[in-house]
Amino acid sequence: PITASTTITWTYSDGVNSSNQNQSINIQDTTAPVADVSTLPTINAQCSVASLTAPTATDACVGSVVGTTNATFPITASTTVTWTYSDGVNSSQQNQTVTIADTTAPVADVSTLPTVNAQCSVASLTAPTATDNCAGTITATTNTIFPITASTTITWTYSDGVNSSKQNQINRIQDT
């Protein structure tokens, strides 16, 4: 096959005499690659996407073309990734939706917090921790005002900025 622009010389011969005629062949790639799938699947993740499998397209001249993107990985927020298919002359683009939705609350590191027993008051407590699927270790917060001078239940809140969970801790103040 002829794959580049060229001039062909045709020779006509009657067995004794011959003549030549030139024919110009212009090869121009004017068709961009066509994506192999019409719609790329939406990618759903909890925290981030470390990488994506590059989609492909088919080009009339070069065959299979692998998409490229300038997306920065890991992807940590919902976005649209633009894939570009280029045959070196023409290009086409296709979008892919990436949805990051943290739907899991932090999980307390211990199932039950120990009861605190004190004589007169509790000046402070070490905040408990939880593990979050996206943020890692979460230190609890509380609205309790210290010092605690009467028996009460403290509610600790673990928040990853999107989801939260709570855990109670009993505090007994007894003058023995």
Side-chain angles (χ1 to χ4, degrees), residues 51-55 83 96:
S51 65
L52 292 170
T53 300
W83 294 98
Q96 185 171 30

Side-chain angles (χ1 to χ4, degrees), residues 142 144 150-155 167-171:
T142 184
T144 301
S151 294
T152 189
T153 299
I154 294 177
T155 300
Q167 190 174 35
N168 292 327
Q169 184 173 32
I170 298 170
N171 284 271

Side-chain angles (χ1 to χ4, degrees), residues 8-23:
I8 296 175
T9 301
W10 294 99
T11 302
Y12 305 100
S13 177
D14 62 8
V16 178
N17 300 298
S18 64
S19 64
N20 294 327
Q21 184 180 27
N22 290 332
Q23 182 180 17

